[in-house]
């Protein structure tokens, strides 16, 4: 059966996923301001995916008959001095989120909350992909070695990224 400790952690995770969306939207605004519309697009779509992750947790609580609790979302306060910095901060943030979800999974395992354990596996896999993407973004940026032309080529590629819903399956 589902368990109060797990439910509290999921409510906290809802807030963290919405904060992720807010953080990535802030990064999108930073890039847009620099004229790097492709990077802005990439992060705006990432923000949409993070919102989906929050909604995924909300739907799960509803699925088990629990009313989700929405908390205050902090204002993103990071400032950046060059276009590489948001990429590094995004990777650090994903590593933080991975640890947060792993913690929920571990508590669910300890509490023998098998339904939550099963549900959370989707998020563990998703985090693996998100950390890889964040790492790849840094690697690709570093390959430009300061060439504006190379940066603009990546930017136009990132402009092609399109949104596809990112929800766990509840059926
Ligand atoms: Fe919600 O996956 Fe990133 O943080």
């Amino acid at each position: 059966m589902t368990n109060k400790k797990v439910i509290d952690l999921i409510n906290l995770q809802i807030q963290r996923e919405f904060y992720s969306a807010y953080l990535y939207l802030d990064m999108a605004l930073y890039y847009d301001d620099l004229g790097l519309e492709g990077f802005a697009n990439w992060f705006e779509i990432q923000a949409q995916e993070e919102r989906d992750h929050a909604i995924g947790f909300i739907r799960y609580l509803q699925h088990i008959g629990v009313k989700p609790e929405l908390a205050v979302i902090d204002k993103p306060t990071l400032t950046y001095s060059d276009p590489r910095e948001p990429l590094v901060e995004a990777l650090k943030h994903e590593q933080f989120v991975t640890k947060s979800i792993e913690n929920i999974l571990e508590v669910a395992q300890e509490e023998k909350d098998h339904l939550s354990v099963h549900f959370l596996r989707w998020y563990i896999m998703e985090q693996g992909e998100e950390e890889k993407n964040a790492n790849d973004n840094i690697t690709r940026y570093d390959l430009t070695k300061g060439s504006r032309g190379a940066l603009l080529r990546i930017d136009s590629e990132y402009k092609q990224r399109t949104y596809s819903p990112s929800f766990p399956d509840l059926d």
Side-chain angles (χ1 to χ4, degrees):
M1 280 307 289
T2 45
N3 163 282
K4 167 92 170 84
K5 281 189 206 166
V6 175
I7 290 166
D8 289 347
L9 287 172
I10 289 179
N11 273 316
L12 176 62
Q13 194 62 34
I14 291 168
Q15 182 195 35
R16 288 181 169 166
E17 298 291 341
F18 277 127
Y19 177 75
S20 302
Y22 223 33
L23 178 67
Y24 293 148
L25 192 55
D26 190 55
M27 290 177 179
L29 297 177
Y30 167 80
Y31 285 118
D32 191 67
D33 200 41
L34 291 183
L36 290 169
E37 290 174 12
F39 281 83
N41 176 58
W42 199 96
F43 277 97
E44 198 179 314
I45 287 169
Q46 198 56 37
Q48 286 177 281
E49 286 201 8
E50 297 300 348
R51 179 193 169 277
D52 290 353
H53 298 166
I55 300 288
F57 280 114
I58 285 173
R59 286 185 182 158
Y60 177 65
L61 289 186
Q62 290 173 315
H63 182 75
I64 59 171
V66 172
K67 184 173 180 289
E69 283 173 25
L70 300 182
V72 172
I73 312 298
D74 288 339
K75 174 182 161 65
T77 54
L78 292 175
T79 53
Y80 311 110
S81 55
D82 67 54
R84 187 178 189 274
E85 283 185 7
L87 306 179
V88 174
E89 292 300 332
L91 174 60
K92 280 195 225 162
H93 184 70
E94 286 306 322
Q95 289 166 339
F96 165 76
V97 171
T98 298
K99 283 204 171 62
S100 179
I101 292 172
E102 283 173 351
N103 179 52
I104 312 175
L105 179 68
E106 283 160 19
V107 172
Q109 282 166 336
E110 280 161 23
E111 299 294 324
K112 301 196 187 323
D113 177 351
H114 299 291
L115 188 62
S116 295
V117 168
H118 180 74
F119 170 74
L120 286 161
R121 291 201 197 285
W122 182 90
Y123 282 91
I124 297 288
M125 295 305 290
E126 180 68 11
Q127 280 311 118
E129 190 186 321
E130 303 240 305
E131 282 196 30
K132 179 186 183 306
N133 290 342
N135 251 314
D136 288 352
N137 284 346
I138 297 170
T139 305
R140 298 198 66 198
Y141 184 90
D142 288 346
L143 283 172
T144 66
K145 296 195 190 307
S147 152
R148 185 160 173 78
L151 183 64
L152 291 178
R153 272 195 296 281
I154 296 177
D155 190 63
S156 66
E157 202 181 299
Y158 285 177
K159 221 178 269 180
Q160 311 306 317
R161 185 181 186 192
T162 54
Y163 165 71
S164 52
S166 183
F167 293 107
D169 200 355
L170 274 177
D171 298 329

